[in-house]
Amino acid sequence: MMKAKFVGIISALAIGQLALAQAPAFEVASIRIGAPFSMELLRSGGIGMTVEPGRVVIKSWALTDMIGAAFQVRTDQILGPDWMGSQRFDVQAKMPPGATASQVPAMLQGLLASRFKLEFHRGQKEFPIYALTARKGALRMQPSAPGDTTTPGCTIISGGHRICHRMTMAALTDLLTQLSRMYAAMPPGGMNWGIEVATIDETGLTGAYDFNMDYGPGGEDTGGGSVIDAVDRLGLKLEKKKRSEEQIVIDRLEKTPTEN
């Protein structure tokens, strides 16, 4: 049994490396040490990834963030050395002619393999998640008007006060999952108002809705408060569950990239 399991891991590793070798690649990429994490840097837009015409720009991302973007998983779905989340990097990469944004994850995988010597295999693991459900008779969201052409999404009015238009439950769970990714990237205690795991939709609601949603640091007078309380005020509920999901298991990863 142990031998069969070992062979399975080796086979998965070999397939993974073959896929990386055949994937589209950046024409050239510059990798430099990034600024350390701070809330000021996050608020100013100094942390994250942007895909611009012909190039990808990454600011102050840890290897866990890059691996997460490369494999389209949350950082808690990555099993590897603790130091992956500490050192941060800035990346400027040129995309080949005709490349699209949908190919960026595959190109990031290639970059990690060539510059950080990434080797990995895939597995399955049970992860805690939040299931978003609707409480009967308690919904405090207004169905969006049929002719409303407002761009879907939430806009910050001031502090933590937000107005959300034409939000489906899929869009809301995506927002909540994005907040969980921010929570995972924060130092301990850095986002105590946040939400720590991903969210899936079990509301059964199929329409789009308008509502106010306040959350963030600070007090109620500035729109602060926990995300869970904000969801509760909408007549919705977040219930902790477990779900089997893909896990990226790191077999090899270098702390320092090869030279530019």
Side-chain angles (χ1 to χ4, degrees), residues 24-27 51-56 94-104 107:
F26 293 118
E27 287 191 343
V51 180
E52 302 173 357
R55 70 172 187 156
V56 172
K94 182 180 178 183
M95 298 166 64
T100 64
S102 64
Q103 294 175 301
V104 170
M107 287 188 276

mmCIF file of all heavy atoms in Angstrom, residues 24-27 51-56 94-104 107:
data_model
loop_
_atom_site.group_PDB
_atom_site.id
_atom_site.type_symbol
_atom_site.label_atom_id
_atom_site.label_comp_id
_atom_site.label_asym_id
_atom_site.label_seq_id
_atom_site.Cartn_x
_atom_site.Cartn_y
_atom_site.Cartn_z
ATOM 1 N N PRO A 24 2.052 28.170 -21.530
ATOM 2 C CA PRO A 24 2.571 29.448 -22.036
ATOM 3 C C PRO A 24 3.436 30.107 -20.972
ATOM 4 O O PRO A 24 3.236 29.912 -19.774
ATOM 5 C CB PRO A 24 1.301 30.260 -22.306
ATOM 6 C CG PRO A 24 0.256 29.639 -21.433
ATOM 7 C CD PRO A 24 0.586 28.184 -21.377
ATOM 8 N N ALA A 25 4.420 30.889 -21.416
ATOM 9 C CA ALA A 25 5.380 31.485 -20.473
ATOM 10 C C ALA A 25 5.538 32.970 -20.738
ATOM 11 O O ALA A 25 5.319 33.458 -21.860
ATOM 12 C CB ALA A 25 6.731 30.785 -20.598
ATOM 13 N N PHE A 26 5.906 33.714 -19.699
ATOM 14 C CA PHE A 26 6.251 35.121 -19.861
ATOM 15 C C PHE A 26 7.498 35.221 -20.730
ATOM 16 O O PHE A 26 8.399 34.379 -20.667
ATOM 17 C CB PHE A 26 6.537 35.767 -18.514
ATOM 18 C CG PHE A 26 5.334 35.885 -17.610
ATOM 19 C CD1 PHE A 26 5.303 35.225 -16.386
ATOM 20 C CD2 PHE A 26 4.248 36.664 -17.981
ATOM 21 C CE1 PHE A 26 4.204 35.330 -15.550
ATOM 22 C CE2 PHE A 26 3.135 36.773 -17.152
ATOM 23 C CZ PHE A 26 3.114 36.098 -15.937
ATOM 24 N N GLU A 27 7.582 36.280 -21.542
ATOM 25 C CA GLU A 27 8.774 36.486 -22.368
ATOM 26 C C GLU A 27 9.969 36.849 -21.494
ATOM 27 O O GLU A 27 11.090 36.398 -21.726
ATOM 28 C CB GLU A 27 8.514 37.578 -23.404
ATOM 29 C CG GLU A 27 7.591 37.143 -24.530
ATOM 30 C CD GLU A 27 7.575 38.154 -25.668
ATOM 31 O OE1 GLU A 27 8.007 39.313 -25.453
ATOM 32 O OE2 GLU A 27 7.149 37.782 -26.776
ATOM 33 N N VAL A 51 -3.251 42.891 -14.075
ATOM 34 C CA VAL A 51 -2.953 42.413 -15.430
ATOM 35 C C VAL A 51 -3.233 43.559 -16.377
ATOM 36 O O VAL A 51 -4.387 43.974 -16.552
ATOM 37 C CB VAL A 51 -3.805 41.181 -15.784
ATOM 38 C CG1 VAL A 51 -3.481 40.709 -17.201
ATOM 39 C CG2 VAL A 51 -3.563 40.052 -14.786
ATOM 40 N N GLU A 52 -2.178 44.095 -16.965
ATOM 41 C CA GLU A 52 -2.282 45.222 -17.878
ATOM 42 C C GLU A 52 -2.054 44.719 -19.306
ATOM 43 O O GLU A 52 -1.596 43.591 -19.494
ATOM 44 C CB GLU A 52 -1.238 46.284 -17.512
ATOM 45 C CG GLU A 52 -1.377 46.784 -16.068
ATOM 46 C CD GLU A 52 -0.236 47.701 -15.664
ATOM 47 O OE1 GLU A 52 0.680 47.904 -16.486
ATOM 48 O OE2 GLU A 52 -0.272 48.215 -14.527
ATOM 49 N N PRO A 53 -2.381 45.522 -20.308
ATOM 50 C CA PRO A 53 -2.132 45.083 -21.686
ATOM 51 C C PRO A 53 -0.662 44.705 -21.896
ATOM 52 O O PRO A 53 0.228 45.539 -21.771
ATOM 53 C CB PRO A 53 -2.515 46.311 -22.522
ATOM 54 C CG PRO A 53 -3.528 47.022 -21.680
ATOM 55 C CD PRO A 53 -3.074 46.822 -20.267
ATOM 56 N N GLY A 54 -0.411 43.449 -22.133
ATOM 57 C CA GLY A 54 0.939 42.988 -22.445
ATOM 58 C C GLY A 54 1.830 42.699 -21.259
ATOM 59 O O GLY A 54 2.962 42.253 -21.431
ATOM 60 N N ARG A 55 1.365 42.945 -20.022
ATOM 61 C CA ARG A 55 2.241 42.675 -18.898
ATOM 62 C C ARG A 55 1.460 42.424 -17.606
ATOM 63 O O ARG A 55 0.276 42.766 -17.501
ATOM 64 C CB ARG A 55 3.233 43.816 -18.673
ATOM 65 C CG ARG A 55 2.631 45.105 -18.156
ATOM 66 C CD ARG A 55 3.711 46.090 -17.794
ATOM 67 N NE ARG A 55 3.172 47.280 -17.128
ATOM 68 C CZ ARG A 55 3.871 48.053 -16.320
ATOM 69 N NH1 ARG A 55 5.132 47.765 -16.073
ATOM 70 N NH2 ARG A 55 3.331 49.106 -15.750
ATOM 71 N N VAL A 56 2.157 41.820 -16.661
ATOM 72 C CA VAL A 56 1.590 41.544 -15.342
ATOM 73 C C VAL A 56 2.480 42.228 -14.307
ATOM 74 O O VAL A 56 3.708 42.124 -14.365
ATOM 75 C CB VAL A 56 1.534 40.024 -15.065
ATOM 76 C CG1 VAL A 56 1.135 39.749 -13.615
ATOM 77 C CG2 VAL A 56 0.551 39.354 -16.019
ATOM 78 N N LYS A 94 6.558 40.442 -18.784
ATOM 79 C CA LYS A 94 6.033 40.752 -20.114
ATOM 80 C C LYS A 94 5.357 39.518 -20.697
ATOM 81 O O LYS A 94 5.937 38.437 -20.747
ATOM 82 C CB LYS A 94 7.171 41.206 -21.039
ATOM 83 C CG LYS A 94 6.703 41.598 -22.439
ATOM 84 C CD LYS A 94 7.877 42.035 -23.302
ATOM 85 C CE LYS A 94 7.417 42.390 -24.709
ATOM 86 N NZ LYS A 94 8.571 42.763 -25.585
ATOM 87 N N MET A 95 4.106 39.699 -21.153
ATOM 88 C CA MET A 95 3.355 38.594 -21.742
ATOM 89 C C MET A 95 3.691 38.466 -23.224
ATOM 90 O O MET A 95 3.977 39.461 -23.888
ATOM 91 C CB MET A 95 1.850 38.827 -21.559
ATOM 92 C CG MET A 95 1.410 38.886 -20.096
ATOM 93 S SD MET A 95 -0.260 39.563 -19.875
ATOM 94 C CE MET A 95 -1.248 38.322 -20.717
ATOM 95 N N PRO A 96 3.648 37.248 -23.762
ATOM 96 C CA PRO A 96 3.905 37.092 -25.199
ATOM 97 C C PRO A 96 2.764 37.677 -26.026
ATOM 98 O O PRO A 96 1.635 37.811 -25.524
ATOM 99 C CB PRO A 96 3.984 35.566 -25.368
ATOM 100 C CG PRO A 96 3.223 35.009 -24.219
ATOM 101 C CD PRO A 96 3.423 35.971 -23.092
ATOM 102 N N PRO A 97 3.025 38.066 -27.280
ATOM 103 C CA PRO A 97 1.963 38.631 -28.124
ATOM 104 C C PRO A 97 0.777 37.687 -28.223
ATOM 105 O O PRO A 97 0.940 36.473 -28.392
ATOM 106 C CB PRO A 97 2.658 38.792 -29.489
ATOM 107 C CG PRO A 97 4.111 38.901 -29.161
ATOM 108 C CD PRO A 97 4.327 38.013 -27.972
ATOM 109 N N GLY A 98 -0.416 38.247 -28.090
ATOM 110 C CA GLY A 98 -1.629 37.454 -28.210
ATOM 111 C C GLY A 98 -2.066 36.767 -26.933
ATOM 112 O O GLY A 98 -3.146 36.169 -26.894
ATOM 113 N N ALA A 99 -1.249 36.832 -25.889
ATOM 114 C CA ALA A 99 -1.613 36.174 -24.630
ATOM 115 C C ALA A 99 -2.774 36.912 -23.976
ATOM 116 O O ALA A 99 -2.922 38.122 -24.113
ATOM 117 C CB ALA A 99 -0.422 36.130 -23.696
ATOM 118 N N THR A 100 -3.618 36.161 -23.268
ATOM 119 C CA THR A 100 -4.796 36.736 -22.620
ATOM 120 C C THR A 100 -4.676 36.617 -21.107
ATOM 121 O O THR A 100 -3.848 35.866 -20.583
ATOM 122 C CB THR A 100 -6.064 36.003 -23.081
ATOM 123 O OG1 THR A 100 -6.002 34.631 -22.653
ATOM 124 C CG2 THR A 100 -6.203 36.053 -24.601
ATOM 125 N N ALA A 101 -5.539 37.348 -20.411
ATOM 126 C CA ALA A 101 -5.535 37.314 -18.942
ATOM 127 C C ALA A 101 -5.810 35.911 -18.412
ATOM 128 O O ALA A 101 -5.322 35.545 -17.338
ATOM 129 C CB ALA A 101 -6.571 38.300 -18.406
ATOM 130 N N SER A 102 -6.605 35.120 -19.152
ATOM 131 C CA SER A 102 -6.932 33.773 -18.695
ATOM 132 C C SER A 102 -5.704 32.854 -18.672
ATOM 133 O O SER A 102 -5.718 31.814 -18.007
ATOM 134 C CB SER A 102 -8.008 33.154 -19.587
ATOM 135 O OG SER A 102 -7.530 32.978 -20.916
ATOM 136 N N GLN A 103 -4.633 33.248 -19.385
ATOM 137 C CA GLN A 103 -3.413 32.443 -19.421
ATOM 138 C C GLN A 103 -2.411 32.836 -18.333
ATOM 139 O O GLN A 103 -1.396 32.173 -18.160
ATOM 140 C CB GLN A 103 -2.744 32.561 -20.795
ATOM 141 C CG GLN A 103 -3.553 31.958 -21.932
ATOM 142 C CD GLN A 103 -2.908 32.217 -23.286
ATOM 143 O OE1 GLN A 103 -2.706 33.373 -23.671
ATOM 144 N NE2 GLN A 103 -2.570 31.151 -23.990
ATOM 145 N N VAL A 104 -2.697 33.904 -17.600
ATOM 146 C CA VAL A 104 -1.766 34.388 -16.574
ATOM 147 C C VAL A 104 -1.491 33.336 -15.494
ATOM 148 O O VAL A 104 -0.333 33.136 -15.111
ATOM 149 C CB VAL A 104 -2.257 35.711 -15.965
ATOM 150 C CG1 VAL A 104 -1.439 36.083 -14.734
ATOM 151 C CG2 VAL A 104 -2.168 36.820 -17.008
ATOM 152 N N MET A 107 1.073 30.980 -16.767
ATOM 153 C CA MET A 107 2.375 31.633 -16.894
ATOM 154 C C MET A 107 3.024 31.851 -15.529
ATOM 155 O O MET A 107 4.243 31.758 -15.385
ATOM 156 C CB MET A 107 2.232 32.949 -17.664
ATOM 157 C CG MET A 107 1.978 32.743 -19.155
ATOM 158 S SD MET A 107 2.028 34.271 -20.137
ATOM 159 C CE MET A 107 0.360 34.872 -19.892
#
